[in-house]
Amino acid sequence: MSESQDTEKDTGGDCIPLEYSDEIAQPTKEECARVYRKIDRRILPFLAVTYLLCYLDRTNIGNAQVLNNGTGDDLLTSIDMNDHQYRIALMLFMVAYSLFEAPSNLAMKTFTPPVWLAFLVICFGALCAGIGGSNNASTLMALRFLLGASEAGVYPGMIFFLSFWYGPRERAIRIAIFLCSATLAGAFGGAIAYGVAHMNGAGGLQAWRWLFIIEGLPCFILAVAIFFFLPSYPEKATWLTAEEKAILKASFSSNMARGDDKLNWSDAKATIKDPRLWVHYIIYSLVGIGVSSLSLFAPAIIQGIGYTGLEAQLFTIPPYACAYFVALTAAYISDKFVCRGLVAAIFGFTGFVTFLIPACIPSPSLHFRYAMLVLSACSVFGSLPALCAWVSDNVHNTTAASVASGLNIAFTGPGQIIGVWIYQSRQAPRYQTGHAVNAASQFLAMILALGLWVYYRRQNAKLAPGQQKWVP
């Protein structure tokens, strides 16, 4: 047995030791793996399915935009909505998403994760199904704003939730498992839209209405399951033995959040003022431009470069399927080598290249442009798990973790709003503006990630033996 003597609190960029007196044995890798496998079975299925449905309900509007447009039964034609109004509706979602992310994270700590997450799932499922009943642009805009408010807390909330259950070396791959549900949602969304397209006119409803209804209703079942079966915090888990809780605590080293930790304004204020964390937020905002533009406009982009009709829905599947495996692999590498910034920078470089090429080369090749789209999707989504884990790795108290993870995701809002406007149908098939903006944002994200990686490595070199190191 060895006595762990210190934890670290992040204040103003310095690591300050705090004492506690729990006796914790140093666990073996096999013991840690056994405990984490047990936790995985209890938690990860809920998070993966939640984010899958969340992302489906967020992005299915892109499928609805082009679904059955050959017969005039698409979303825009049915409710007499023009392209500008459509983009306003997309932007309103992003505005609400940014405004409500950090407050929702604090609410999760107040109400406990199972209660708050179940509430959010019911809300976004009901709103998604309600969009299927929209008869005019104003209704759609209002519902999209409310959908953004209800979905705002899901992503940062789950990252915050994982910080209670997984140490820094295990966190990125778990984030990737549920985050990659977003790429699966893109793949499934195309497949579901292809099938639902054949329901056009069933029950007197256009197929796009069925799409929203069908993808919204499963959320009610999921919310009930989350409320009753998702665990809250490790210290309250009756299915973990005292020995397993000790192993879990020891695996965190000195950076463990606790469910009974109280939120306080002084820690929140210090987190908000920390310039180091703002670099994290800016990087994530830049990556968010590519995430939103591809998520919302992939069907239209694919249609614009030459694939038509229902074929355009089917060809949305491969980019997301490839991105799923790339993101999981990148997260595994990021965890194995505890290196977030370099992984993010590498994907920033590949994204820069794969967006820049189709923007600059007037090639008539449909297959070439589609290949670049696939690689761009892999680059954009591949960096997300490492970036999400990176910010929570480098804060060391519960309030800081809650605020920082919420702000990190909230800062994607401005980036995602930019992503709404950059792909214009009149520029098909080159989409010069969209690809050029994405190339520039990926390049800037790469530079900032490299800079932050170097900064953390230099800070670690200055630390005394025994002080907790930053995660570069």
Side-chain angles (χ1 to χ4, degrees):
M1 301 287 285
S2 63
E3 185 173 356
S4 179
Q5 294 289 333
D6 54 330
T7 59
E8 307 294 333
K9 181 178 179 181
D10 177 45
T11 56
D14 296 323
C15 290
I16 303 174
L18 300 174
E19 294 187 355
Y20 64 89
S21 57
D22 294 3
E23 292 274 344
I24 302 175
Q26 184 62 39
T28 65
K29 289 184 178 180
E30 291 74 17
E31 288 174 327
C32 289
R34 172 174 56 81
V35 174
Y36 278 123
R37 282 195 299 269
K38 191 172 183 179
I39 295 171
D40 288 343
R41 291 192 294 269
R42 290 274 185 160
I43 290 178
L44 293 184
F46 285 109
L47 300 191
V49 175
T50 297
Y51 203 60
L52 173 66
L53 293 179
C54 179
Y55 218 78
L56 271 177
D57 293 355
R58 176 189 316 179
T59 59
N60 53 13
I61 192 170
N63 298 103
Q65 180 196 9
V66 300
L67 196 63
N68 296 117
N69 60 357
T71 61
D73 291 317
D74 58 287
L75 169 65
L76 272 63
T77 304
S78 299
I79 65 173
D80 194 26
M81 189 180 201
N82 60 42
D83 183 70
H84 182 74
Q85 291 172 320
Y86 172 73
R87 292 174 187 270
I88 291 292
L90 299 182
M91 186 182 72
L92 286 172
F93 175 96
M94 304 303 179
V95 171
Y97 199 85
S98 297
L99 290 176
F100 289 96
E101 274 174 314
S104 183
N105 242 25
L106 295 174
M108 174 173 281
K109 186 65 180 69
T110 301
F111 293 103
T112 76
V115 172
W116 188 246
L117 194 57
F119 171 73
L120 294 179
V121 170
I122 286 179
C123 289
F124 74 68
L127 289 164
C128 176
I131 290 174
S134 300
N135 290 315
N136 53 63
S138 298
T139 301
L140 180 64
M141 289 178 186
L143 290 174
R144 282 290 295 183
F145 180 85
L146 294 175
L147 182 67
S150 61
E151 289 198 4
V154 176
Y155 184 18
M158 290 194 294
I159 293 173
F160 177 48
F161 177 57
L162 289 180
S163 69
F164 291 92
W165 290 92
Y166 297 97
R169 285 182 174 269
E170 292 81 19
R171 200 172 296 154
I173 188 63
R174 269 75 181 191
I175 291 174
I177 288 172
F178 84 75
L179 184 59
C180 285
S181 297
T183 60
L184 286 182
F188 288 154
I192 294 171
Y194 178 81
V196 171
H198 296 91
M199 295 177 61
N200 195 35
L205 300 177
Q206 292 102 336
W208 69 264
R209 297 185 187 275
W210 282 116
L211 183 67
F212 286 110
I213 294 169
I214 289 171
E215 293 183 353
L217 292 180
C219 296
F220 292 91
I221 300 173
L222 176 62
V224 173
I226 288 172
F227 183 82
F228 286 105
F229 301 111
L230 181 69
S232 54
Y233 303 113
E235 56 267 27
K236 297 181 180 180
T238 57
W239 45 274
L240 285 177
T241 66
E243 178 191 11
E244 289 169 337
K245 290 179 181 179
I247 291 172
L248 178 62
K249 185 173 184 179
S251 72
F252 273 73
S253 183
S254 56
N255 186 18
M256 185 177 189
R258 288 178 54 86
D260 54 6
D261 287 344
K262 302 300 181 183
L263 300 175
N264 66 83
W265 173 243
S266 61
D267 285 339
K269 187 164 63 173
T271 303
I272 293 170
K273 291 182 175 180
D274 191 337
R276 169 182 60 87
L277 294 174
W278 282 76
V279 180
H280 284 279
Y281 308 152
I282 293 170
I283 295 171
Y284 208 74
S285 179
L286 291 167
V287 175
I289 298 174
V291 171
S292 72
S293 59
L294 292 185
S295 297
L296 295 171
F297 291 98
I301 294 170
I302 290 170
Q303 189 175 66
I305 63 178
Y307 295 101
T308 58
L310 294 182
E311 190 180 47
Q313 301 288 350
L314 286 178
F315 274 89
T316 61
I317 298 174
Y320 292 108
C322 293
Y324 176 79
F325 292 105
V326 169
L328 282 178
T329 302
Y332 172 78
I333 294 171
S334 172
D335 271 350
K336 182 176 178 62
F337 297 101
V338 197
C339 183
R340 316 298 194 200
L342 198 57
V343 170
I346 289 171
F347 280 112
F349 175 75
T350 59
F352 166 66
V353 172
T354 54
F355 278 118
L356 186 64
I357 290 175
C360 296
I361 300 178
S363 169
S365 171
L366 178 153
H367 299 298
F368 169 78
R369 295 191 182 281
Y370 184 72
M372 290 296 101
L373 179 65
V374 172
L375 294 175
S376 297
C378 291
S379 300
V380 167
F381 286 98
S383 64
L384 294 183
L387 289 174
C388 288
W390 203 12
V391 68
S392 58
D393 287 342
N394 289 303
V395 292
H396 306 122
N397 63 69
T398 299
T399 300
S402 176
V403 173
S405 58
L407 286 175
N408 190 49
I409 309 303
F411 263 72
T412 63
Q416 292 189 75
I417 290 172
I418 293 171
V420 166
W421 296 97
I422 59 177
Y423 282 97
Q424 303 291 331
S425 57
R426 66 178 181 272
Q427 293 186 336
R430 283 183 63 187
Y431 294 107
Q432 304 96 303
T433 301
H435 289 328
V437 171
N438 272 325
S441 64
Q442 292 291 307
F443 180 78
L444 289 174
M446 175 192 70
I447 297 299
L448 290 176
L450 281 175
L452 203 54
W453 176 70
V454 170
Y455 168 80
Y456 281 132
R457 288 174 63 87
R458 288 182 176 176
Q459 290 298 109
N460 284 340
K462 299 176 184 177
L463 295 177
Q467 284 190 293
Q468 183 179 347
K469 291 185 178 296
W470 304 103
V471 176

